[in-house]
Amino acid sequence: MTELITKPPFRSSYIIDGNLITLELYRLLSIFYASEKFATINTTNHDDPVSILLGYQDSEITRILTSSAISARIIDDRDDRYLGEHSTSCGQLIPDLNNPNSHIALTLREACNKIIHAIKIHYDITELATGLRYVNPTIYYYGRFKGKEWKATLDVEEYVFNYVTYIAQFN
């Protein structure tokens, strides 16, 4: 086999389209913003079109967040963006659940790490008087790092806004 070594104008790394990521992040926020409306018109009949559509909510949230997190880490490492140095707070991190009162800001880079390495994920939900529920744009991630269990609370809106500001528009 022959290794093809690319030369400008071709890239010799992953090609990540910032416009496509921005579109995906728009879709992500739209899922959260539409969730309450879907919950109010849902009949709970499994053949109802709304119930069918809601069946895609979790998988789409997961797909968009994981793909955007992986892309951000690639861009940050490849292009030396140093996301950890910017004020990109998009939530809160408890690095050691044995000390739950000790928390720090969740930077965009660390949010990407937590999205990628989470073992358990919980959504923030609101229950309507009808008993139906919808998701709010906050996600709780849990995992382990260096023998300590952590919890990250992701503010999805801030994640998206920081992502568009520091990652997507420059790629």
Side-chain angles (χ1 to χ4, degrees), residues 86-151:
H86 294 286
S87 177
T88 58
S89 179
C90 50
Q92 175 180 292
L93 173 63
I94 301 172
D96 183 358
L97 282 176
N98 287 324
N99 189 4
N101 294 324
S102 177
H103 53 83
I104 58 175
L106 181 67
T107 65
L108 180 58
R109 181 177 174 90
E110 196 57 36
C112 293
N113 291 338
K114 299 313 182 200
I115 291 166
I116 293 166
H117 296 290
I119 296 169
K120 188 169 49 171
I121 302 167
H122 294 156
Y123 291 103
D124 186 271
I125 58 117
T126 297
E127 189 167 326
L128 300 171
T130 61
L132 296 172
R133 301 182 292 181
Y134 62 89
V135 292
N136 297 303
T138 301
I139 302 177
Y140 307 97
Y141 292 94
Y142 296 84
R144 283 188 290 286
F145 182 68
K146 295 185 178 181
K148 295 180 181 176
E149 293 188 3
W150 52 261
K151 176 184 179 182

Side-chain angles (χ1 to χ4, degrees), residues 6-8 12 14 34 56 83 102 110 116 127 135 166:
T6 58
K7 297 178 181 169
S12 61
Y14 292 105
Y56 294 100
L83 287 177
S102 177
E110 196 57 36
I116 293 166
E127 189 167 326
V135 292
Y166 294 102

Side-chain angles (χ1 to χ4, degrees), residues 38-55 132:
F38 278 132
T40 62
I41 62 174
N42 190 356
T43 65
T44 68
N45 176 347
H46 295 295
D47 294 331
D48 180 6
V50 174
S51 290
I52 293 168
L53 292 172
L54 284 172
L132 296 172

Side-chain angles (χ1 to χ4, degrees), residues 11 13-27 64 67-68 70-72 74-75 78-79 81 163-164 167-171:
R11 258 200 149 132
S13 181
Y14 292 105
I15 299 171
I16 299 173
D17 185 343
N19 290 324
L20 182 57
I21 293 171
T22 303
L23 174 60
E24 289 290 294
L25 294 172
Y26 168 80
R27 290 176 177 151
I64 295 169
S67 66
S68 67
I70 292 166
S71 296
I74 290 169
I75 293 167
R78 180 191 67 199
D79 300 345
R81 294 283 173 86
Y163 201 112
V164 170
I167 293 288
Q169 73 174 341
F170 295 111
N171 197 33

